[in-house]
Amino acid sequence: MGPLIPNGIIPPEWDFVIALLIGIIFGYVLEASGFSSSRKLAGVFYGYDFVVLKVFFTAAVVAVIGIYYLDYLGFIDISKLYIHPTYLWAAIVGGIVMGLGFILGGFCPGTSLCAVAIGKIDAMAYGVGILIGVFIFSEFFSFIQPLFDGSNYGAITLVDTLGISPYWFIFLFSLVAIIAFVISDLVRKKVKKIFY
Amino acid sequence: MSKTYKYKKIIIRRRYRILAAILIILSGGLVLLPKYQKNVGIKPETFLLNLMSPERYISTDFLANSLISKDPSILLIDVRSAKEYSDFSLPNATNIPLSTILKPDNETYLDQDGYKVIFYSNDNFFADQAWLIAKRFGYNNIFVLKGGLNAWFNTILNPEMPKTSDSELEFQKYNTRKAAAMFFGIGAVNTLNSNAATPNIAPKKIILTKTKKKTTGGGC
């Protein structure tokens, strides 16, 4: 049956409508769980609040378990899902830039827009920074292009690279997630509490 | 610490443990579930229904009409060998021998929505096999020339004269077929012999570009 759009069950013309609806819900959930506070987001780097780690790890684990159950029951064809191609060095450099920006600014791009929506001034400055970054990237694109297009490994996944069964990988991944949650909780208890 | 705070803490801790247990049970379930081989393509029931239906057959008269009116939507696929193809083939046909039909290059011809793909061989035997393979993958718009080239020869190029007792309709059909035979380069009807040279027009090669489909573009 699924995925719904590639199989023509939902026509692609609805993409924007669906994107808008999902965006509104996503923004609401981000705001409601306190992700529009840069102090909360940056807490993961200082060890006083691990909610970012917990939320994203939980989202990944729940999504991967759900998708594989749907695939097992025949509701979704995993082979038709989009896998973003791996550009190894571009991903490493981009990850470092993104991480630095995360520590310095206290937002990731999505949460910064969320915070702009509730009127945070630091988030507005962050938004302007994103635009400046986009401008610099575009202007220097011909210099960056070898890195941007280079070391393309195609749409590979960890399961292909490691050659293990996806089901075992998911099981181990869930265990790692739970261990990470426990350890992060222990760290949080050790670190001085910060009120924000 | 007040009593209610302690109580709440215990409840929350228990909730975390339950959630962690659910995660482990669900992901462990994936490991333990019995695995089965997933097949690509359409369901066996649909395949059988398609198999029973004669809708896949296209008559030689229909094909002749389409070729004469230069219908741009038909794509003729010759599933015979390359030698047989070079000896004789229908106008603008593309040669994909049955043994190479599963080559990835050929997927472009078979898996598309723009053309009516018509398979033919000498009879409809090999064309039917090609049709089965293609249908199994769930490709749409694929057809088989009923009777193949033999039927093409017997009905279009060298039509049989109707009996005098036959209906008017049969005679009209015969005349149409004679006219079609002239169109396809057989000079005067009834004087057909095997040495009659068919005009050697270079076949117009239909080249399809591979369009990526059925994957979602996406990203963060």
Side-chain angles (χ1 to χ4, degrees):
Chain A
M1 189 174 116
L4 297 176
I5 293 172
N7 279 355
I9 295 167
I10 298 176
E13 287 78 14
W14 281 88
D15 279 5
F16 288 107
V17 180
I18 296 168
L20 186 71
L21 289 176
I22 294 177
I24 289 171
I25 297 167
F26 184 57
Y28 171 75
V29 172
L30 279 183
E31 208 320 281
S33 36
F35 272 51
S36 46
S37 157
S38 55
R39 293 192 184 100
K40 198 177 189 72
L41 291 170
V44 69
F45 297 108
Y46 302 104
Y48 60 81
D49 195 329
F50 284 97
V51 76
V52 175
L53 176 93
K54 285 179 187 167
V55 163
F56 283 103
F57 228 147
T58 312
V61 173
V62 171
V64 79
I65 291 177
I67 286 176
Y68 269 86
Y69 268 108
L70 289 177
D71 176 66
Y72 185 84
L73 298 172
F75 291 119
I76 257 188
D77 184 357
I78 279 192
S79 60
K80 281 187 185 170
L81 294 183
Y82 175 78
I83 297 172
H84 195 69
T86 302
Y87 294 89
L88 186 63
W89 281 104
I92 290 172
V93 174
I96 291 170
V97 172
M98 159 97 188
L100 278 176
F102 205 155
I103 302 180
L104 291 173
F107 290 113
C108 68
T111 51
S112 76
L113 293 179
C114 210
V116 168
I118 62 165
K120 293 222 165 164
I121 296 167
D122 58 341
M124 292 175 196
Y126 193 95
V128 174
I130 290 179
L131 294 180
I132 295 173
V134 169
F135 179 75
I136 293 174
F137 177 81
S138 317
E139 285 300 314
F140 287 91
F141 184 69
S142 48
F143 292 105
I144 305 170
Q145 199 169 17
L147 176 72
F148 187 78
D149 289 332
S151 60
N152 180 8
Y153 287 79
I156 49 168
T157 61
L158 268 177
V159 173
D160 301 331
T161 320
L162 300 177
I164 60 171
S165 148
Y167 303 109
W168 274 106
F169 182 78
I170 292 167
F171 184 64
L172 295 176
F173 189 63
S174 315
L175 285 184
V176 169
I178 290 166
I179 292 168
F181 295 160
V182 172
I183 291 175
S184 64
D185 241 27
L186 292 177
V187 173
R188 187 179 57 89
K189 275 175 194 155
K190 289 261 162 66
V191 173
K192 202 176 132 232
K193 253 200 145 34
I194 289 181
F195 289 96
Y196 48 88
Chain B
M1 263 185 239
S2 70
K3 222 174 182 183
T4 49
Y5 181 76
K6 261 188 182 170
Y7 185 62
K8 263 185 188 166
K9 227 177 160 182
I10 291 169
I11 286 184
I12 286 176
R13 198 175 290 162
R14 184 180 297 160
R15 199 177 289 163
Y16 277 147
R17 280 186 191 147
I18 292 172
L19 286 173
I22 289 175
L23 260 191
I24 290 180
I25 290 169
L26 281 179
S27 55
L30 274 180
V31 175
L32 295 176
L33 278 175
K35 305 295 176 293
Y36 62 94
Q37 171 72 42
K38 276 208 196 74
N39 297 319
V40 283
I42 57 174
K43 277 195 214 146
E45 295 86 357
T46 329
F47 184 54
L48 275 178
L49 279 177
N50 286 326
L51 199 61
M52 308 285 280
S53 152
E55 277 171 25
R56 65 173 177 278
Y57 290 120
I58 273 185
S59 72
T60 46
D61 288 308
F62 178 87
L63 180 63
N65 185 32
S66 302
L67 288 177
I68 290 168
S69 59
K70 295 200 167 24
D71 184 350
S73 72
I74 61 166
L75 180 60
L76 281 167
I77 304 274
D78 191 329
V79 298
R80 300 170 306 154
S81 67
K83 194 193 168 299
E84 285 173 298
Y85 172 74
S86 62
D87 286 348
F88 176 79
S89 69
L90 294 179
N92 300 337
T94 309
N95 183 221
I96 300 178
L98 185 59
S99 52
T100 64
I101 203 154
L102 288 178
K103 276 194 181 162
D105 298 350
N106 295 333
E107 204 187 321
T108 332
Y109 287 96
L110 307 179
D111 187 17
Q112 39 74 36
D113 304 316
Y115 287 92
K116 272 189 221 130
V117 174
I118 303 172
F119 293 115
Y120 72 86
S121 51
N122 283 333
D123 198 339
N124 48 13
F125 191 70
F126 288 126
D128 261 339
Q129 292 183 359
W131 183 89
L132 289 180
I133 293 170
K135 197 71 197 174
R136 180 69 184 71
F137 282 104
Y139 299 159
N140 293 315
N141 295 334
I142 51 173
F143 301 92
V144 170
L145 179 63
K146 177 93 180 160
L149 284 181
N150 291 338
W152 178 260
F153 182 82
N154 291 333
T155 56
I156 305 295
L157 299 187
N158 189 20
E160 198 182 332
M161 180 97 159
K163 290 194 272 295
T164 43
S165 58
D166 276 347
S167 67
E168 175 70 22
L169 215 63
E170 286 297 315
F171 280 93
Q172 279 176 12
K173 206 183 194 178
Y174 175 68
N175 288 334
T176 315
R177 284 173 171 180
K178 271 199 304 188
M182 273 161 146
F183 177 86
F184 291 111
I186 310 297
V189 190
N190 301 332
T191 60
L192 178 78
N193 59 54
S194 56
N195 295 330
T198 48
N200 211 349
I201 307 162
K204 188 183 79 184
K205 184 101 179 143
I206 297 170
I207 292 165
L208 300 180
T209 45
K210 184 136 190 137
T211 48
K212 204 166 169 9
K213 52 181 212 172
K214 286 181 182 166
T215 44
T216 0
C220 185

